[in-house]
C-alpha cells in the first residue's frame, strides 16, 4: 500500500488561516479532499458548512456536535487547538498549493 504524503503542519496552518484571515476566508472554500489527516478532514468537512458570518470556534463545535463528530476531533478542546494553536502563516496560498499537489498523487 502506498501512503500519500501528509503535512500535518501545513493542514493545520490552512485551517487556522481560514479562521483568522478575512481575505483568505473570503477567497478559499474549505475543501475536505485536500486533507489527508483524519481529524483535519473531519474539521474541514464541518468548516465547509459554515458561512463567513459564522466562522468561529463555537459555530464549528456546534456543527461537529450536530454531525456526531465533535469527539473525533478531541471535543471542544480539539476545536480550540485547531483554530488557536496552529502554526501561524503569513500567506496561506502556498500551503493550499502544497495540499493540492499532495491530494493529486
Amino acid at each position: 500500500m502506498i501512503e500519500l504524503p501528509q503535512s500535518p503542519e501545513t493542514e493545520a496552518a490552512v485551517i487556522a488561516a481560514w479562521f483568522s484571515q478575512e481575505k483568505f476566508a473570503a477567497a478559499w472554500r474549505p475543501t475536505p479532499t485536500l486533507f489527508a489527516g483524519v481529524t483535519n478532514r473531519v474539521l474541514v468537512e464541518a468548516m465547509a458548512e459554515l458561512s463567513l458570518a459564522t466562522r468561529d470556534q463555537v459555530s464549528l463545535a456546534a456543527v461537529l456536535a450536530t454531525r456526531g463528530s465533535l469527539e473525533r476531533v478531541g471535543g471542544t478542546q480539539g476545536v480550540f487547538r485547531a483554530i488557536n494553536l496552529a502554526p501561524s502563516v503569513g500567506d496561506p496560498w502556498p500551503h493550499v498549493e502544497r495540499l493540492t499537489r499532495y491530494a493529486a498523487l
Side-chain angles (χ1 to χ4, degrees):
M1 180 169 129
I2 298 174
E3 215 169 295
L4 295 178
Q6 286 189 19
S7 179
E9 296 83 11
T10 298
E11 291 184 3
V14 171
I15 290 168
W18 191 78
F19 283 97
S20 66
Q21 297 181 20
E22 294 291 328
K23 190 174 178 180
F24 179 63
W28 181 76
R29 193 71 190 139
T31 311
T33 57
L34 297 181
F35 292 78
V38 175
T39 300
N40 287 339
R41 186 175 288 219
V42 170
L43 283 167
V44 177
E45 287 170 351
M47 287 166 51
E49 295 184 27
L50 300 175
S51 69
L52 291 178
T54 60
R55 198 179 90 247
D56 59 62
Q57 180 176 328
V58 173
S59 298
L60 179 59
V63 169
L64 288 162
T66 299
R67 297 170 123 233
S69 39
L70 183 58
E71 292 311 312
R72 288 185 66 198
V73 301
T76 55
Q77 288 299 321
V79 172
F80 175 84
R81 282 190 303 273
I83 295 173
N84 299 301
L85 300 181
S88 176
V89 295
D91 180 6
W93 289 109
H95 298 285
V96 171
E97 289 175 28
R98 181 177 305 132
L99 293 178
T100 303
R101 283 194 314 269
Y102 289 166
L105 294 176

